[in-house]
Amino acid sequence: MVSSIALLFLVLFLTSSARSFADDFIFSGFKRASNLSLDGSARVTNDGTIQLTNETRRVMGHAFFSSPVRLLDNQHGSSSALSFSTIFVFDIITIGTGSGHGLAFVMSPSKTLPQADSGPYLGLFGAGNNGNSSNHVFAVEFDTAYIPGMFNETNGNHVGIDINSIISNISTPAGYYSNDSNKKVDLDLKMGKPIQAWIDYSANTRVLNVAIAPLSVPKPGRPLVSYTIDLSPIFKEYMYVGFSASTGKLVSSHYILGWSFRTDGIAAPLDISQLSIPQPPSASSSSNSSSKALAIKIGDITFIATLIVVGTAISIFFYLKQRAKLAETLEDWELDHPHRFRYKDLYKATKGFKETELLGRGGFGQVFKGVIKDTGEEVAVKKISNNTRQGIREFIAEIASLGRMRHRHLVELKGWCKRNEDLLLVYEFMPEGSLDTLLFDGKTSATLSWQQRFKILKGVAAGILYLHEEWEQVVVHRDIKASNVLLDSAMNARIGDFGLARLHEHGTNPHTTHVVGTLGYMSPELSRTGKPTTSSDVFAFGALLLEVACGRRPIEPDAPPMQLNLVDWVTECWARGELLGAADPRLGKFYDGEEMELVLKLGLVCCQSAPEVRPSMRRVIRYLNGDENLADDVSLVFSERESVNLASGDSCNSSCGIISTSSLNKGR
């Protein structure tokens, strides 16, 4: 009996472990979708469909799910692609003869596809990067144009698999296999009626299957395309998923009506009855409009003409005045750095940096909510003023480099703008605000649960590990704190504000000596050396661990003397054997005691005064995940020789001695 129960728990554990990387979402229409990123000609229509292109020549449109999804499993020492499944309904509407050029389901490391071009490139690639292995782009194209002798196309109505290139690895005429007769039925992609598509990739068999059919036909048992490929070398650990479409000399409107996606499983089916069907634009011409125009009296024409002239003059005056207000002069070196926004675009996005759009302010500037007009994307714009003394050219060079980082627990730094003495940083907008606000703002309606807090802490740890070890350079954030931890719509933690971050190569030491940071989070060695390191980030994370668990700020000026410094107070609680007494009283008893104890102890371990005894972020994550026992490594982390016996009454703060092993054991 016992062995049967143990086996059951083992199966459940393995099943949950296999599902730990799963991402899934479903859109039965997009009218209220807030987690989409659109650019180019893409927009969400009033009916709730995504219109990627319209009847405009040589345009392209992209629509991505805002957050990246995990597509590589790195747990076993080697990277292997995860299984994924997606279902979507698309509609290609063409007015007149000819169409162009088609749409594609795409997976990319970035939501902004570099060098992408319209026309036959479908908004995926361009002549400068087509075929480059560094693209790391996977796409399934639904192409409605044919260029003889190019791109491995079978005809002007085909489905193809594209790997880093618009030249398809495999291409086949569009159609589906009947479930009744198993015979292929031709399907016109541009017939102006919705078509459902299924794309499934198995990590075990490394087989990619693609099927399409009209809405009235269930999923075909036999796929249109079945292609064996290992996507592991193509995928990055985190990728963005979405759609791309383009027009050329000929035009079509490309629509996405609904979309379901899942990793490590089968995507949920779409409810077809909830989808809005786009209608072809009606030919709008009135045969009697000219006759009505001729009926206008000469006097009325003169009056209208006068109004037009006066109105035009006034408009030109205000236009020139506004243009002068928004004018900016670029230095030559600014053109060498990517991710630059135009000042007037950010000015319009934030309604002229209006007070009503202000999200917050701090020592380094103000943050405004903005909506980029061309894409409808929500952003946060941080405005830093009087920054000329900080070496702004080098600063922007680093910001441009940081803009290439992508991780699900980092706020995406989308770009920058410099105007006179103002530096503006453009970030992804986080709808749930900062962790600091949710913890301490009395206006919030509910207290963060322990499950939410523990999930947030693990997310922050994963983001810091990426900065320290997993990106191409070592990034020392220098200002890890609750107000720089932002939360997306699913309450996932994202580390923001890289305005203080500094880069250096792996294996080298950072060279900056300018002390910055926030009191309570700054490690004691910074006041002596002025050199931030990954270890000083670990100290700040330790303070954050205690802050989240205790519901107290690292420094409380109005608190009693023994509670002024959070590290000191938790240390005293531990030494008295009352560690859980430091838990946030707002949680009551609704928390996991073992997790709470782990977080409090780990916070003190990270906040040791000697940087060499603090754990790395990789070890911190192993502690949080339960892969290593913190108690097992106490003797390695703490030195009895340098200890201070708190039980004897000696005072200690975050800048003095190291906690003794005996004190640790007593507090367990």
Side-chain angles (χ1 to χ4, degrees):
M1 179 65 179
V2 174
S3 60
S4 299
I5 295 175
L7 179 60
L8 175 61
F9 276 104
L10 176 61
V11 171
L12 291 174
F13 172 77
L14 293 175
T15 303
S16 64
S17 297
R19 299 285 311 127
S20 60
F21 293 152
D23 290 278
D24 64 276
F25 52 83
I26 184 168
F27 295 98
S28 296
F30 302 91
K31 184 173 292 186
R32 295 178 179 85
S34 60
N35 46 358
L36 292 174
S37 293
L38 308 177
D39 68 20
S41 59
R43 70 184 184 99
V44 175
T45 67
N46 293 333
D47 294 332
T49 63
I50 296 177
Q51 184 181 24
L52 294 168
T53 67
N54 50 40
E55 288 75 39
T56 304
R57 294 182 176 182
R58 304 187 187 283
V59 297
M60 56 183 173
H62 301 119
F64 283 95
F65 189 66
S66 295
S67 300
V69 299
R70 187 167 193 171
L71 288 171
L72 279 184
D73 182 358
N74 291 320
Q75 279 195 328
H76 306 295
S78 61
S79 299
S80 59
L82 295 173
S83 299
F84 69 85
S85 172
T86 188
I87 305 171
F88 55 91
V89 175
F90 67 91
D91 197 352
I92 301 176
I93 297 178
T94 300
I95 303 300
T97 60
S99 66
H101 263 266
L103 62 86
F105 170 78
V106 57
M107 294 176 161
S108 167
S110 171
K111 291 180 285 189
T112 55
L113 294 165
Q115 303 184 47
D117 202 355
S118 58
Y121 289 100
L122 300 183
L124 298 172
F125 311 101
N129 71 343
N130 190 44
N132 291 354
S133 59
S134 59
N135 292 333
H136 292 282
V137 171
F138 162 81
V140 178
E141 66 172 42
F142 303 87
D143 201 326
T144 58
Y146 177 56
I147 303 177
M150 292 183 65
F151 301 153
N152 193 26
E153 298 175 336
T154 54
N155 60 15
N157 183 61
H158 62 269
V159 177
I161 309 299
D162 300 342
I163 306 294
N164 292 326
S165 172
I166 200 64
I167 301 175
S168 299
N169 289 43
I170 183 173
S171 174
T172 187
Y176 64 95
Y177 288 94
S178 169
N179 288 327
D180 297 330
S181 62
N182 200 33
K183 291 184 179 180
K184 184 176 180 181
V185 180
D186 292 335
L187 187 60
D188 185 2
L189 297 175
K190 55 185 182 295
M191 63 182 178
K193 296 181 180 179
I195 296 172
Q196 191 164 194
W198 298 264
I199 302 174
D200 301 286
Y201 177 73
S202 170
N204 294 328
T205 62
R206 296 178 178 176
V207 172
L208 175 73
N209 290 326
V210 180
I212 58 174
L215 285 187
S216 58
V217 176
K219 181 179 180 180
R222 178 182 174 184
L224 174 65
V225 179
S226 186
Y227 185 57
T228 301
I229 182 173
D230 182 8
L231 292 177
S232 304
I234 310 304
F235 286 165
K236 296 281 192 178
E237 182 175 6
Y238 290 96
M239 302 275 281
Y240 289 95
V241 295
F243 302 92
S244 176
S246 70
T247 64
K249 292 181 179 179
L250 302 176
V251 299
S252 295
S253 292
H254 299 88
Y255 295 90
I256 304 297
L257 282 57
W259 182 21
S260 174
F261 181 89
R262 186 181 186 89
T263 58
D264 199 20
I266 302 300
L270 295 171
D271 185 351
I272 303 302
S273 64
Q274 295 187 33
L275 304 183
S276 298
I277 310 300
Q279 298 298 321
S282 58
S284 58
S285 61
S286 176
S287 59
N288 61 356
S289 59
S290 57
S291 61
K292 290 182 180 180
L294 293 176
I296 300 176
K297 295 180 180 180
I298 298 299
D300 292 339
I301 295 176
T302 303
F303 176 72
I304 292 173
T306 302
L307 287 179
I308 292 174
V309 170
V310 174
T312 301
I314 294 174
S315 299
I316 291 174
F317 171 77
F318 282 106
Y319 169 77
L320 293 176
K321 182 179 179 181
Q322 183 71 2
R323 183 177 179 181
K325 181 179 179 180
L326 300 179
E328 52 185 327
T329 302
L330 301 183
E331 300 177 39
D332 291 340
W333 62 266
E334 292 185 59
L335 303 177
D336 297 331
H337 299 295
H339 311 294
R340 188 187 187 281
F341 282 80
R342 295 187 302 177
Y343 179 77
K344 70 176 184 179
D345 291 339
L346 299 182
Y347 185 88
K348 293 177 181 178
T350 58
K351 300 179 182 178
F353 299 101
K354 198 172 182 180
E355 192 74 16
T356 57
E357 305 306 304
L358 185 66
L359 296 174
R361 53 167 53 93
F364 282 85
Q366 299 172 308
V367 182
F368 296 85
K369 181 181 179 181
V371 179
I372 303 300
K373 182 178 179 182
D374 292 341
T375 64
E377 183 177 9
E378 293 182 320
V379 295
V381 181
K382 184 163 190 176
K383 189 176 184 182
I384 305 173
S385 301
N386 300 320
N387 203 48
T388 54
R389 292 178 297 174
Q390 298 189 21
I392 193 167
R393 184 182 305 191
E394 293 77 10
F395 192 41
I396 289 177
E398 292 182 349
I399 292 298
S401 180
L402 291 168
R404 295 185 287 109
M405 292 193 302
R406 295 292 183 271
H407 192 274
R408 68 184 309 172
H409 292 298
L410 298 182
V411 178
E412 183 179 344
L413 178 59
K414 293 182 171 297
W416 60 277
C417 174
K418 184 187 79 71
R419 183 175 185 267
N420 300 329
E421 294 184 357
D422 291 341
L423 177 66
L424 297 99
L425 304 179
V426 184
Y427 292 97
E428 183 180 8
F429 177 69
M430 293 288 105
E432 294 299 329
S434 74
L435 175 60
D436 180 85
T437 299
L438 292 176
L439 281 175
F440 301 113
D441 190 348
K443 298 178 182 178
T444 55
S445 58
T447 300
L448 279 173
S449 69
W450 175 250
Q451 290 81 2
Q452 289 174 318
R453 298 187 195 201
F454 196 59
K455 174 186 174 184
I456 288 168
L457 290 173
K458 292 172 74 172
V460 174
I464 300 175
L465 176 63
Y466 175 81
L467 296 177
H468 287 184
E469 299 183 24
E470 296 177 349
W471 197 50
E472 61 193 45
Q473 290 176 291
V474 177
V475 180
V476 180
H477 186 280
R478 304 207 302 173
D479 204 21
I480 298 293
K481 59 182 178 179
S483 59
N484 283 340
V485 176
L486 305 177
L487 302 167
D488 63 18
S489 57
M491 297 297 286
N492 294 309
R494 306 279 197 94
I495 303 173
D497 200 345
F498 295 97
L500 297 179
R502 285 296 180 265
L503 310 177
H504 62 90
E505 300 297 331
H506 288 282
T508 64
N509 293 320
H511 59 272
T512 179
T513 57
H514 183 58
V515 178
V516 294
T518 303
L519 187 64
Y521 297 91
M522 294 174 61
S523 59
E525 70 270 12
L526 281 177
S527 62
R528 300 191 304 269
T529 66
K531 295 181 179 180
T533 64
T534 55
S535 185
S536 56
D537 275 356
V538 172
F539 183 97
F541 180 70
L544 181 68
L545 286 168
L546 299 179
E547 182 176 13
V548 172
C550 302
R552 295 169 177 253
R553 299 185 189 277
I555 299 293
E556 291 279 6
D558 299 328
M562 291 303 298
Q563 299 181 16
L564 174 66
N565 184 294
L566 181 58
V567 174
D568 292 351
W569 180 66
V570 176
T571 301
E572 291 290 346
C573 291
W574 192 351
R576 293 194 305 268
E578 301 173 356
L579 183 60
L580 292 183
D584 189 343
R586 293 174 296 176
L587 292 172
K589 298 298 182 181
F590 297 102
Y591 61 83
D592 185 304
E594 291 186 0
E595 289 179 351
M596 176 66 76
E597 183 177 344
L598 169 64
V599 169
L600 291 169
K601 289 182 178 180
L602 183 56
L604 294 181
V605 168
C606 292
C607 286
Q608 292 305 289
S609 60
E612 62 271 12
V613 300
R614 296 174 202 147
S616 67
M617 286 309 302
R618 186 170 297 279
R619 173 158 284 186
V620 166
I621 289 178
R622 292 185 64 82
Y623 289 142
L624 290 173
N625 289 336
D627 297 329
E628 286 191 31
N629 192 328
L630 183 61
D632 293 341
D633 289 336
V634 164
S635 60
L636 298 177
V637 177
F638 299 99
S639 169
E640 188 71 30
R641 179 172 53 84
E642 299 177 317
S643 66
V644 175
N645 192 341
L646 296 177
S648 65
D650 292 341
S651 62
C652 180
N653 57 44
S654 59
S655 298
C656 70
I658 304 175
I659 302 170
S660 68
T661 306
S662 59
S663 296
L664 288 169
N665 293 332
K666 179 178 178 181
R668 289 193 62 204

